[in-house]
Amino acid sequence: MASLKLHFFKNSVLIILSSFLFFIIIANQFKYDSIELNWDEVDYANVSKEGIFNNAIKKNTLSFLEFLELSLLKFKDDDKGIKSLSNQILDEDEDYFLKRHFHPVLPIYYWSLFKKQNNYEYANALRFSSKLYYFLSILIFTFVAFSLSNNSFNIFQKLGCLTFFISPIFINSNLSLNFHIFLSSSSVLMCLFTIRFLKNNSSNNLFLLSIMSALSLLSLETGVLLFLMTIFSFLFFIDKDLIKTIFKYILTTAFIFIILWPGILFSGAPLKTYLMYAYRIFQNANQEYSEVSVFQNLYLIISDNQFLISVCLILIILFLNKIFKKAYDRVLFLPLIFGLSYTFFIVPFSINSTYFLPGISMIILGLVINNKNERI
């Protein structure tokens, strides 16, 4: 156990120090040390300033029924009804749900830990929180990849990890206040515990998987895709008590989710979020996503991350060689499947490359762990 910890420590230190050097170079080159927050970040900062307790419990948002009533009036363009209802409900400028831009609360909890009374100091602290989370993300990814690689990294796995951590998409995403970086970390953890559970269907593993699933749902609303894909994976790997297992998984995840965000019992925030996105996609898609260019997004990701793409091609070739030799573990395909599925789904709605980070994180994880050294 001691030698295992030492081995993990050596690998982590090497990767983190190397990443840190590139982080400094790239951050200085593109001047990402600017204290000034953009308008999205200002909203996140303002709601984070209210603290964890208020965001978790306080009723500073419309109830689900009030939300439905107001939404229906807006859909009908009933100005008289909107004005009448607005006099009875919370002002939109004070609504936590709107300040979060319809997102969940886990990132808000994290940013709340850095709150300051002075706005300049708070902005500075939030910038520091992003840099700290960059290194936390590296530790989480390295831990997951290491755990799924027979507790050992070969040279190609180290290269894959390091290239990912110094890639523009990883660094740029981790230098701003956004929710995608949290889903990126929770998604790779979810992959780890999904694989562990599918290999050993113990109650303890199911509970740990439920915790990670709840954290994914609390990170970003698209975490529900991972939740559904995990349930779908059960169909292929669990033979005994399948329905009972799925039911238990859903209930446990829901229970943890509510414990960590009890305010949703009043606000119905997740339902409000999905209704908002349903409207934006099916009723208002031309206006909402008219500027989203699928090919431009993909082109920018490839052109900005050429070194990462090159290393991925090497890992893919090595992986295909293992498949040809039938030296693979079927359950380790899941991060690749999850990552590709998530990326495919998110492409039409991606305003910038940060949206792709959770999917790309799982794809890189899949390539890394499927090129592990086999036990002799």
Side-chain angles (χ1 to χ4, degrees):
M1 180 61 71
S3 61
L4 179 62
K5 289 181 178 179
L6 180 62
H7 191 51
F8 173 69
F9 177 76
K10 286 180 178 178
N11 279 282
S12 299
V13 168
L14 175 64
I15 291 171
I16 290 173
L17 287 178
S18 302
S19 302
F20 178 73
L21 293 175
F22 279 86
F23 177 89
I24 295 298
I25 294 170
I26 293 177
N28 287 335
Q29 180 181 353
F30 294 101
K31 298 180 180 178
Y32 288 121
D33 286 329
S34 172
I35 301 299
E36 186 177 350
L37 304 178
N38 64 40
W39 74 275
D40 280 337
E41 293 174 322
V42 168
D43 282 344
Y44 301 154
N46 286 335
V47 73
S48 297
K49 221 170 187 179
E50 300 298 327
I52 295 175
F53 180 82
N54 286 339
N55 277 283
I57 295 175
K58 201 169 181 180
K59 300 178 181 179
N60 272 47
T61 186
L62 300 182
S63 70
F64 184 65
L65 293 178
E66 289 172 336
F67 169 81
L68 287 179
E69 186 177 358
L70 181 60
S71 299
L72 186 60
L73 290 172
K74 287 185 175 182
F75 185 74
K76 293 179 177 178
D77 290 325
D78 186 349
D79 293 334
K80 185 178 179 181
I82 293 172
K83 186 176 180 180
S84 175
L85 182 62
S86 296
N87 293 327
Q88 306 170 38
I89 60 176
L90 184 72
D91 190 282
E92 289 189 352
D93 292 336
E94 301 175 10
D95 194 321
Y96 288 180
F97 177 72
L98 297 181
K99 285 183 179 181
R100 290 195 310 269
H101 297 189
F102 324 135
H103 298 316
V105 292
L106 185 62
I108 301 298
Y109 292 169
Y110 174 74
W111 295 323
S112 294
L113 300 175
F114 299 87
K115 66 179 179 179
K116 306 282 184 183
Q117 291 304 314
N118 180 280
N119 287 336
Y120 179 82
E121 290 180 356
Y122 187 33
N124 194 28
L126 288 173
R127 287 295 180 230
F128 172 76
S129 77
S130 294
K131 294 171 184 177
L132 176 62
Y133 199 82
Y134 169 75
F135 293 107
L136 290 175
S137 299
I138 291 175
L139 277 175
I140 290 170
F141 189 97
T142 305
F143 167 75
V144 172
F146 189 79
S147 299
L148 293 172
S149 301
N150 296 336
N151 298 316
S152 175
F153 278 154
N154 59 42
I155 186 64
F156 294 106
Q157 290 179 293
K158 290 177 183 177
L159 179 62
C161 289
L162 179 58
T163 306
F164 180 45
F165 299 149
I166 64 174
S167 65
I169 189 170
F170 189 81
I171 291 180
N172 295 354
S173 299
N174 278 280
L175 286 177
S176 65
L177 304 184
N178 67 82
F179 290 71
H180 302 277
I181 59 174
F182 291 85
L183 182 59
S184 174
S185 298
S186 57
S187 67
V188 296
L189 283 167
M190 199 167 165
C191 287
L192 168 64
F193 288 99
T194 299
I195 291 170
R196 282 188 176 179
F197 174 69
L198 294 177
K199 286 187 171 184
N200 178 4
N201 307 149
S202 68
S203 297
N204 185 51
N205 282 339
L206 181 63
F207 181 69
L208 291 172
L209 173 58
S210 295
I211 291 175
M212 296 309 151
S213 301
L215 292 179
S216 292
L217 294 170
L218 286 164
S219 297
L220 190 63
E221 55 275 8
T222 48
V224 72
L225 296 174
L226 303 177
F227 183 65
L228 294 175
M229 285 189 282
T230 298
I231 293 174
F232 190 68
S233 71
F234 288 0
L235 303 178
F236 297 92
F237 291 93
I238 297 178
D239 298 321
K240 187 178 178 182
D241 297 327
L242 175 62
I243 302 301
K244 182 181 177 182
T245 300
I246 292 174
F247 187 67
K248 205 172 166 185
Y249 171 56
I250 293 173
L251 280 183
T252 308
T253 302
F255 176 75
I256 296 169
F257 183 78
I258 292 171
I259 290 294
L260 295 175
W261 191 11
I264 63 169
L265 297 176
F266 164 80
S267 68
L271 293 177
K272 286 156 61 172
T273 296
Y274 295 125
L275 287 173
M276 288 290 294
Y277 279 107
Y279 170 76
R280 292 165 72 177
I281 293 170
F282 298 110
Q283 290 292 328
N284 204 31
N286 290 334
Q287 178 182 342
E288 186 70 28
Y289 299 106
S290 59
E291 296 183 3
V292 174
S293 172
V294 173
F295 294 107
Q296 184 179 6
N297 278 334
L298 294 176
Y299 171 76
L300 288 175
I301 288 175
I302 294 172
S303 61
D304 291 344
N305 298 272
Q306 293 182 33
F307 185 45
L308 176 62
I309 299 297
S310 300
V311 171
C312 285
L313 290 175
I314 295 173
L315 293 175
I316 289 170
I317 292 170
L318 293 171
F319 175 46
L320 290 175
N321 182 55
K322 284 200 167 192
I323 291 179
F324 180 75
K325 293 180 177 179
K326 297 183 178 180
Y328 61 84
D329 187 347
R330 191 167 60 109
V331 74
L332 295 183
F333 287 8
L334 286 180
L336 282 169
I337 296 170
F338 285 9
L340 289 168
S341 301
Y342 184 93
T343 303
F344 178 80
F345 175 86
I346 208 70
V347 162
F349 316 111
S350 300
I351 307 298
N352 57 60
S353 61
T354 299
Y355 285 59
F356 293 94
L357 185 63
I360 290 175
S361 297
M362 289 183 282
I363 292 170
I364 301 298
L365 175 66
L367 290 174
V368 168
I369 64 176
N370 278 287
N371 280 286
K372 67 179 181 178
N373 294 325
E374 299 302 320
R375 291 189 186 277
I376 299 174

